[in-house]
Amino acid sequence: MSRYYTEDHEWVELDGDIGTVGISEYAQSQLGDIVFVETPDEGKDVTKGDDVAVVESVKAASDVYAPVSGTVLEGNAALADTPELVNEDPEGDGWFFKLTLSDPSEVESLMNDSAYAEFVSKL
């Protein structure tokens, strides 16, 4: 599987034409303790850059943007009862939603792991 990142600190991990989306370790560390997550509804069509989900922490609320375009397959239902999963495992069990990509070539404009690590090191 391949993982790509945006400058807004979302990630998408690809498995064929299915993408799993979440926020990076860096993003969750900046937000602090997550207290609420709103994920998109199944079947929602999203365009790259759309605000798709909401994450609230003790510090702030923030939109989560679609790193790629597609149709939402599912939101991470576990986050409704345990939003702290985003803090505990932001790039694993704390994922936000899965979608079927409508244009897989959109990932070409995103950063790979090493490019994202370099980007974050300059912040």
Side-chain angles (χ1 to χ4, degrees):
M1 287 191 248
S2 301
R3 182 170 290 188
Y4 300 91
Y5 296 85
T6 70
E7 289 186 359
D8 291 321
H9 309 288
E10 290 88 14
W11 56 264
V12 59
E13 186 171 87
L14 303 180
D15 185 4
D17 67 344
I18 305 299
T20 301
V21 177
I23 63 172
S24 70
E25 177 70 38
Y26 176 83
Q28 75 77 26
S29 71
Q30 296 299 300
L31 285 168
D33 293 336
I34 305 297
V35 296
F36 175 77
V37 175
E38 181 181 318
T39 60
D41 293 330
E42 179 181 335
K44 179 177 180 161
D45 290 324
V46 299
T47 301
K48 181 179 179 177
D50 284 356
D51 56 331
V52 181
V54 175
V55 58
E56 293 181 13
S57 72
V58 294
K59 291 182 181 179
S62 183
D63 289 327
V64 176
Y65 301 100
V68 291
S69 301
T71 302
V72 174
L73 294 172
E74 67 176 303
N76 186 349
L79 297 179
D81 294 327
T82 53
E84 63 272 12
L85 279 174
V86 177
N87 293 118
E88 295 166 5
D89 193 11
E91 297 189 32
D93 290 339
W95 58 274
F96 283 61
F97 60 95
K98 294 184 180 191
L99 74 164
T100 303
L101 278 67
S102 57
D103 183 2
S105 70
E106 288 180 335
V107 300
E108 294 170 12
S109 66
L110 302 177
M111 293 176 275
N112 63 21
D113 289 325
S114 59
Y116 180 72
E118 182 178 335
F119 172 75
V120 169
S121 73
K122 296 177 181 177
L123 298 177

